[in-house]
Amino acid sequence: MAEHNDSSAGTPEVDPTSPDRPGRAMRIGFRRPVAKTAGTVATTTRAARRRRVQHPVRSTVTLAAVVGLVATVAIPAFAAVRGETAEAQTLQQVAASNAQSLVVGSEAAPAALDRSGFTATTPEEIQKKKDQEAAEKAAAEALARRLSAASSTASSSSSTYSDPIPLVAPGSGLVRRPLMSFNNFGTPYAGHRGTDYMVGGGTPIYSVADGTVVASSESGPGWGVYVKVAHNINGVNVTSLYAHMTYGTRAVQVGDTVSAGQLLGQVGDTGRAFGTHLHLEIVVDGTYVNAENWLVTNGA
């Protein structure tokens, strides 16, 4: 007969927390060998299978617990961040609704300001106006000096001219200037019997005195388009010739009677001319005289 051993009776009680806890070998020494039966072996095999099945289950449960822990920490943080953003947007909206605003009409076109009625108010504008006036005054004075010098030069360099003969009392109105204005005199040269008045093309030309047209042509020898008028001024025979007119602008023909200041044509550069100007010749009793000096002497 096999002996029946009580495993509990052969194993002494041992306190697991005691420092004098004997080792594994000591406990094994107190155990008695137990005979294994077929039922015991089967039970042991099933237990091992359960342990193998429970091991992945425990791993899955552990992983789920870790994921849940991470979600528990992350979701409140994410919610807190979203809450701060939403709160910041709300504050901005509140500030924007209470702030002042400016509305600009994009379709409105800026109106041009007319400064013609404005006067200078700043020191810079005042100084600029003064400088402009001073420059204009200086230019006018310089032009007057050039005209005076040119007149003296023309008079002294034209040896073929005789001294001008006073024909009328100054201011009598019998002699007029052929131009209302001009820029300056042309430079005289040898053999040049007239006086050149530099002026823009198209400027009107007037008769210097009452008279009769004795020549009017579109192709004079060197003169281009020209008109010649004969005058009798206080019994003195005088002729005046106006050359280099613009084509088609002659207003008189041969035989026409003209009066002082009557329109004869317009300034051009036809014939032997360099630049637009009036070439004026004055002949007194068959002698060429300086045209400008003659006009000045006779009050024109």
Side-chain angles (χ1 to χ4, degrees):
M1 291 181 58
E3 291 182 357
H4 176 74
N5 295 325
D6 188 357
S7 61
S8 62
T11 303
E13 292 182 2
V14 179
D15 185 3
T17 61
S18 172
D20 297 332
R21 178 181 176 184
R24 176 181 178 86
M26 185 178 294
R27 289 199 302 272
I28 294 174
F30 283 94
R31 292 179 182 175
R32 295 178 180 178
V34 179
K36 295 182 179 180
T37 63
T40 303
V41 174
T43 302
T44 302
T45 301
R46 287 194 298 272
R49 291 177 179 175
R50 284 196 299 269
R51 284 195 299 271
R52 286 196 299 270
V53 173
Q54 291 174 359
H55 179 69
V57 173
R58 285 198 301 271
S59 299
T60 303
V61 173
T62 303
L63 180 59
V66 171
V67 172
L69 180 60
V70 172
T72 303
V73 175
I75 291 176
F78 180 73
V81 172
R82 292 197 52 159
E84 291 176 359
T85 304
E87 182 179 0
Q89 292 178 350
T90 303
L91 292 176
Q92 292 174 358
Q93 294 174 356
V94 172
S97 61
N98 293 332
Q100 295 180 352
S101 60
L102 174 64
V103 178
V104 178
S106 58
E107 299 298 329
L113 297 179
D114 183 14
R115 295 181 59 86
S116 59
F118 287 70
T119 57
T121 56
T122 65
E124 292 79 9
E125 291 179 341
I126 294 175
Q127 185 62 40
K128 183 178 180 180
K129 184 65 175 178
K130 289 182 178 179
D131 294 343
Q132 182 180 359
E133 293 175 353
E136 293 175 352
K137 182 178 179 181
E141 292 175 351
L143 177 60
R145 289 193 297 268
R146 289 198 302 269
L147 293 178
S148 177
S151 177
S152 300
T153 302
S155 177
S156 61
S157 61
S158 301
S159 57
T160 58
Y161 297 155
S162 64
D163 292 335
I165 301 174
L167 302 177
V168 298
S172 64
L174 296 180
V175 177
R176 304 284 184 91
R177 281 194 168 274
L179 300 171
M180 297 297 294
S181 63
F182 61 96
N183 297 329
N184 58 285
F185 295 99
T187 303
Y189 54 89
H192 188 253
R193 296 183 174 184
T195 301
D196 290 339
Y197 296 85
M198 311 308 295
V199 66
T203 302
I205 301 173
Y206 308 101
S207 176
V208 297
D210 297 345
T212 302
V213 178
V214 294
S216 178
S217 173
E218 292 280 311
S219 58
W223 295 323
V225 180
Y226 79 101
V227 171
K228 185 177 182 179
V229 181
H231 315 275
N232 186 295
I233 303 174
N234 290 341
V236 178
N237 294 322
V238 178
T239 60
S240 58
L241 184 145
Y242 314 81
H244 308 312
M245 292 183 180
T246 301
Y247 288 114
T249 62
R250 288 178 301 121
V252 294
Q253 300 296 330
V254 174
D256 290 347
T257 300
V258 298
S259 59
Q262 182 174 334
L263 178 67
L264 301 178
Q266 297 179 9
V267 173
D269 58 355
T270 57
R272 192 165 58 247
F274 300 94
T276 58
H277 68 281
L278 166 64
H279 173 88
L280 176 64
E281 295 181 4
I282 299 294
V283 179
V284 179
D285 282 339
T287 304
Y288 286 94
V289 300
N290 183 284
E292 178 64 19
N293 289 349
W294 183 83
L295 292 171
V296 172
T297 300
N298 289 277

